Amino acid sequence: MTDPNAASRPVQAVVLAGGQGSRLRPYTDDRPKPMVEIPGTGTPIIGHQLTWLAEEGVTDVVVSCGHLAEVLQKWLESADLPVNVKTVVETEPLGRGGGLKYAAAHLPHPDQPWYATNGDIWTRFSLRDMADFHTERDAAATLALARPRIPWGAVKTDGFGRVTDFIESPPTTYEINAGVYVFSAEFADMLPERGDHERTTFPRLARERRLAGFPIPQGAYWRAIDTAKDLQEAAKELAALGR
């Protein structure tokens, strides 16, 4: 049976892999952040991302490189990849929005929608469902939203101030930008040549009601790998999940 939504889902993506990863040192002393391996998996973060993108129907990926770009490029050239990959390197700092615009200019289908993800995100959820959500709302851009667990135990009290429960590392009550996106074809033209789109393009689209937020389904795995502790926590969580 033909899926009526298939034609509107992206088959191309940008991975933003240019960060220095200073908080992940010493792991990032000799490699860019997306090339750090999650202990126990034998695969760098970007390898997991490319596999996930391929499983979600993506065929072409532009990887935006920066810090130690040659290390990432060498790995991409030698690895058996499930998608077609092209790398681009900014010749001068363009900021997050400018860098995204520069990378998007190298996508093979400029008239079609596209995904984007930060290079330090390790997650699994249905991008197809997110793309359908994006289309249904006629959005210019859709952000995945996560509820990360806070690193402390929480205490519940009743109306009289009596402690009723202890909760270990509960999810935050706020949704955050999870670093995974669906963009309509025209979104690239809305990005600044230089600067940060999260301070310019996103607020403008929000005012125009053209920015959507897709909650990552409950139970789906998501973690941003920012610190050495995140690496160790991810390794433990993935081992528990049997991945």
Side-chain angles (χ1 to χ4, degrees), residues 12-26:
Q12 56 186 355
V14 168
V15 175
L16 297 171
Q20 293 196 10
S22 56
R23 290 195 294 164
L24 260 175
R25 289 176 178 159

Side-chain angles (χ1 to χ4, degrees), residues 109-133:
H109 310 291
D111 59 339
Q112 295 180 18
W114 44 294
Y115 297 117
T117 180
N118 295 343
D120 58 356
I121 302 298
W122 193 169
T123 187
R124 282 292 188 279
F125 64 90
S126 174
L127 284 175
R128 291 181 173 90
D129 287 349
M130 185 176 172
D132 294 346
F133 180 96

Side-chain angles (χ1 to χ4, degrees), residues 154-170:
V155 179
K156 289 185 70 175
T157 59
D158 63 17
F160 293 97
R162 291 186 292 248
V163 173
T164 59
D165 200 3
F166 295 90
I167 306 171
E168 186 64 30
S169 298

Side-chain angles (χ1 to χ4, degrees), residues 90-103 188-202 204:
E90 296 174 28
T91 55
E92 57 182 325
L94 300 174
R96 291 193 296 178
L100 189 59
K101 187 181 186 79
Y102 180 71
D189 293 332
M190 303 175 188
L191 288 164
E193 296 290 340
R194 295 174 182 271
D196 188 349
H197 61 295
E198 294 193 12
R199 296 183 178 180
T200 54
T201 310
F202 279 176
R204 185 176 78 250

Side-chain angles (χ1 to χ4, degrees), residues 40-194:
T41 69
T43 303
I45 298 168
I46 194 167
H48 294 287
Q49 290 184 322
L50 295 176
T51 297
W52 175 48
L53 290 169
E55 290 170 350
E56 293 296 323
V58 172
T59 58
D60 294 271
V61 176
V62 174
V63 178
S64 178
C65 307
H67 175 64
L68 295 175
E70 64 280 2
V71 177
L72 178 52
Q73 289 172 319
K74 184 176 180 180
W75 182 84
L76 290 169
E77 289 169 2
S78 63
D80 183 15
L81 301 176
V83 291
N84 300 315
V85 173
K86 177 173 185 167
T87 60
V88 296
V89 182
E90 296 174 28
T91 55
E92 57 182 325
L94 300 174
R96 291 193 296 178
L100 189 59
K101 187 181 186 79
Y102 180 71
H106 294 81
L107 288 167
H109 310 291
D111 59 339
Q112 295 180 18
W114 44 294
Y115 297 117
T117 180
N118 295 343
D120 58 356
I121 302 298
W122 193 169
T123 187
R124 282 292 188 279
F125 64 90
S126 174
L127 284 175
R128 291 181 173 90
D129 287 349
M130 185 176 172
D132 294 346
F133 180 96
H134 169 85
T135 300
E136 288 164 4
R137 281 146 188 83
D138 193 27
T142 297
L143 291 63
L145 304 176
R147 290 185 184 270
R149 293 188 174 275
I150 63 174
W152 309 282
V155 179
K156 289 185 70 175
T157 59
D158 63 17
F160 293 97
R162 291 186 292 248
V163 173
T164 59
D165 200 3
F166 295 90
I167 306 171
E168 186 64 30
S169 298
T172 176
T173 56
Y174 292 99
E175 293 177 314
I176 68 163
N177 181 349
V180 180
Y181 311 91
V182 182
F183 295 135
S184 299
E186 68 270 22
F187 179 77
D189 293 332
M190 303 175 188
L191 288 164
E193 296 290 340
R194 295 174 182 271

